[in-house]
Amino acid sequence: MLPITSEIINSSLVSGHTSDALKSALVRPIIKKPNLDQNVLEHAVLELPQLLSQLHLNDLHPVLQLAYRRCHSTETALLRVHNDLLRAVDDGNEALLILLDFSSAFDTSDHCLPR
């Protein structure tokens, strides 16, 4: 599969053209640990009025940071990315989305410090 994918990407880069078939995607979120409540941390932080007031008063929340804001969620973030991609393509630009999952990156690393 890798040689075919590499050839498609390289041809696209050389020609400056991407097939319309490659400009769409079907995204299906997969919960890796279904037994865990995905909203615990977010809800816990939302219940900390001191933290939220400091973020607001000192303008420490970046505009595009959607986590830990009332009425925002991962769904809001996905809708924003989806909208940005559609607008880029509608404007005649090329759009590329690269997703990296680091959730298990350190699962097999030894975190113990030497004594």
Side-chain angles (χ1 to χ4, degrees), residues 75-88:
E75 183 178 358
T76 309
L78 287 171
L79 288 171
R80 171 68 188 251
V81 170
H82 183 255
N83 184 62
D84 289 349
L85 290 169
L86 289 177
R87 288 182 68 189

Side-chain angles (χ1 to χ4, degrees), residues 26-108:
L26 176 61
V27 178
R28 292 185 181 152
I30 299 172
I31 299 174
K32 291 185 175 189
K33 299 176 184 175
N35 59 333
L36 298 178
D37 183 357
Q38 301 295 317
N39 299 312
V40 169
L41 179 59
E42 191 163 338
H43 288 293
V45 172
L46 281 174
E47 298 304 320
L48 296 174
Q50 295 167 332
L51 174 62
L52 293 177
S53 66
Q54 287 300 312
L55 289 173
H56 179 70
L57 288 173
N58 296 300
D59 197 25
L60 297 174
H61 230 145
V63 176
L64 298 178
Q65 174 73 38
L66 299 177
Y68 313 119
R69 288 190 175 185
R70 291 195 186 282
C71 301
H72 290 82
S73 65
T74 52
E75 183 178 358
T76 309
L78 287 171
L79 288 171
R80 171 68 188 251
V81 170
H82 183 255
N83 184 62
D84 289 349
L85 290 169
L86 289 177
R87 288 182 68 189
V89 173
D90 286 347
D91 291 343
N93 297 315
E94 294 181 20
L96 176 66
L97 176 64
I98 298 174
L99 303 171
L100 302 174
D101 180 3
F102 293 113
S103 62
S104 300
F106 301 103
D107 284 358
T108 58

